[in-house]
Amino acid sequence: MDLRLLAFALLLVPGAPSAQEAARQSAPVVIANRTIIVLRGPIAGYSAEERARGATERIEATLDSDPHAAVSFAESEAGTRVLVGGNLGFIVTKIDIDAQAVETTSLLAKETAKRLERAIAERREQHSLRYLATAAAYAAAATAVYGALMWLLRLGSRRLGGYISVAADERARKLSLGSVQAFASRFVSLLGWLLALTATVWWLAFVLQQFPYTRRWGEDLQVNLLDMARQIVLAILGALPGLAFVVVIFFLARLFIRFARTLFDRVEHGSLELAWMDRDTAGPTRRIFSFVVWVFALAMAYPYLPGAGTEAFKGLSVLIGLMVSLGGASVIGQAFSGLILMYSRIFRRGDYVRIGDNEGTVTEVGMFATRIRTGLGEEISISNAAVLATTTKNYSRAVPGTGYVLDTVVTIGYATPWRQVEAMLKEAARRTDDIARQPEPVVRQTALSDYYVEYRLIAYSPAERPVIRAEILHRLHGHIQDVFNEYGVQIMSPHYMMDPPQPQVVPKDKWFTPPAKSSSAYLSEAPSPERKEAG
């Protein structure tokens, strides 16, 4: 033993390794599952593991012979000796202390002695059946209380959650905030889970502390829980000034938006007229203005958000920016297409339009898509980029005011007088309800094909609901068939197979076959070449 002390003393002479060089290894001395001290090495040829193992064996051997051995310490040239029952347990040397914390071997030895005395007491408790039985009884009682508390929390969260959710929903409906029952129920459920988790941690820490071997784990669990709660509370208190400033910023932004919304709503409802904005563009302008205000408010409030300066928050911001840059190109394109549709006023809500092969009433002109409802009750959603890329026909812009244009096409052979066909189509339009008399329906010959003439009937309906356009066209088609049947004209178009026995021409005496108008009416509308020459 004296040789070891001499070796320790050699460390103090000049030329010996420094404390930083000797502290490259460390090993704990553990008694009764408690860490008494962390010894470092190598020193005098002994590594840190060998020092810790030797100290543990000497202390365990002393306690086996005398469970009530007292702890003491004595100063020596090598450091401070910690004695157990008068026998050496270990020596606290200069390489074991933290010089930067102004720590000495004597001070560290005193703290180590306190931990060792507690570990010795717990070691005695581990070998006491009476103490272990008492600890088990306390643990069982705590478990029963914990189980009852969990049952009460489950029952209370259900009943209290239902009561609070119903009360909150009624209060929200009175304030015109919509239904919040699901949100209130989930909030109560989340609060119940937090209470249950806290109770579980406290129960587990209490049970572990009842037994000497697991007491350290219970104490660490309880200390960690308290430390976490303390950090949360301190973080909340530290963030309160910044959060208050953020609340003020968003409150002012919301107040400004509500004031501007009143202006936009008045323009949209027609009670206010502005030269730079009309009723159709008031809605999208309000949304754009609100978006800009919220973005500006977020930029102002960002530095005051809790954790805004942390690396995690910065990394999240970079991730969100990367996601927007990679996947937002098409979204931004659709949004700009929607703005073009809104501000170019190609159509508005309620117009009857034909977009590509789809025809119906516009029900919504959104930022990303346009929705139309067909006469069959189908709702079709078309992306705004596709709307801009195709041809759009607006049947509701033919004349001022409400209403829309109806048109239909029939193909009739050359053997039928064109004046008769025109008169029959106008007669069918007159028989159809919801087709206006003024402006008068017109018929245009849009094509002279190989086997037939293509006639297009164009009429106007003053109906305010474009959704009934399909029903009006249905009745118009029925009347066209009735009129053609009454005058013996077939709508089927002939196709050329061989030369007919008689030329397919209309004799002049049949040019005005009923219900065609008289020749004088047509001459007044379109002068013949003979009249032009006479003139």
Side-chain angles (χ1 to χ4, degrees), residues 440-451:
E440 184 180 357
V442 296
V443 178
R444 296 286 183 262
Q445 300 181 41
T446 56
L448 299 176
S449 301
D450 293 338
Y451 313 119

Side-chain angles (χ1 to χ4, degrees), residues 127-203:
H127 296 82
S128 173
L129 295 178
R130 180 178 179 181
Y131 183 87
L132 293 177
T134 303
Y138 278 113
T143 303
V145 173
Y146 168 74
L149 182 60
M150 290 297 100
W151 181 80
L152 289 175
L153 279 176
R154 182 179 180 184
L155 181 63
S157 62
R158 288 182 177 179
R159 295 186 177 181
L160 185 62
Y163 173 77
I164 292 178
S165 61
V166 171
D169 188 67
E170 293 178 354
R171 181 66 176 174
R173 291 182 184 277
K174 292 180 180 179
L175 297 176
S176 300
L177 298 178
S179 178
V180 296
Q181 186 171 0
F183 175 77
S185 179
R186 291 177 182 176
F187 176 77
V188 174
S189 178
L190 178 62
L191 184 60
W193 277 104
L194 290 177
L195 293 176
L197 180 61
T198 304
T200 300
V201 174
W202 280 104
W203 164 78

